[in-house]
Amino acid sequence: MTTNSANTSVSIFRLSPLIRITLLSLYLALTLPLPFLAKATAAPTPPALLWVGICVGFIGLYAVLTERVIVDDQTIQVTYPAWVSRFWRKGWSLAWTEIKQLKPRTTGQGGLVYYFLSQDGKAYLLPMRVVGFARLVNIVQAKTGIDTTDVRPLAQPWMYMILFGCTVLLLLIDGWTITTALAI
């Protein structure tokens, strides 16, 4: 989304719906059978406590997935809705003039992420899972003069499509597991 006025151009980049749906579905696929299995096996952890934990975890995951990047002529900022920033994640804001460089870092899984380094030495993670990432990177290059030709997203959409397909299969198995647990 882009808004234009006489002096300001604002672009908002939200997290990809494919990523959001995949991660929320995977969370449910991994956790939904637990209360049913706890009841069927007479586990020491009460199913009600598991339901509370699942709901709190879902809200936490959803909160993280509400991240958005807002860029204008003066700043780049990562923000969250008020209900998230009040209790958990605050986000950050950085003026284009404060950005010294874009530094790559290898992740534990061998991927590559990028951090903005500010003039005072602080590091700010470049969000890489937004819709329109290529456009965001072009804006970063235009505003900072930093060469971003080698900057690529951390994960490609096909990776999330495969993960979503596996999640659907897991949900089908969950359905069978829950049905079996209820029959006991």
Side-chain angles (χ1 to χ4, degrees), residues 48-107:
L49 182 61
L50 290 171
W51 281 118
V52 169
I54 290 169
C55 289
V56 168
F58 187 86
I59 291 168
L61 178 59
Y62 182 81
V64 170
L65 297 176
T66 61
E67 176 183 277
R68 64 182 176 247
V69 180
I70 302 173
V71 295
D72 60 30
D73 292 335
Q74 288 80 36
T75 61
I76 178 170
Q77 57 183 325
V78 172
T79 65
Y80 297 88
W83 68 273
V84 175
S85 58
R86 185 175 310 130
F87 297 108
W88 194 26
R89 297 191 95 171
K90 303 292 183 211
W92 53 266
S93 180
L94 189 60
W96 294 117
T97 57
E98 287 296 311
I99 297 174
K100 183 169 58 173
Q101 71 182 101
L102 194 58
K103 188 125 181 134
R105 292 279 187 229
T106 305
T107 67

Side-chain angles (χ1 to χ4, degrees), residues 81-152:
W83 68 273
V84 175
S85 58
R86 185 175 310 130
F87 297 108
W88 194 26
R89 297 191 95 171
K90 303 292 183 211
W92 53 266
S93 180
L94 189 60
W96 294 117
T97 57
E98 287 296 311
I99 297 174
K100 183 169 58 173
Q101 71 182 101
L102 194 58
K103 188 125 181 134
R105 292 279 187 229
T106 305
T107 67
Q109 296 80 26
L112 201 58
V113 295
Y114 294 86
Y115 286 88
F116 290 113
L117 290 183
S118 66
Q119 299 294 344
D120 61 0
K122 292 182 181 175
Y124 301 86
L125 181 65
L126 171 67
M128 301 178 79
R129 293 182 170 103
V130 296
V131 174
F133 179 72
R135 189 166 62 93
L136 173 63
V137 169
N138 288 337
I139 292 171
V140 168
Q141 183 167 332
K143 298 293 183 185
T144 63
I146 296 171
D147 181 19
T148 60
T149 51
D150 293 333
V151 177
R152 303 276 181 260

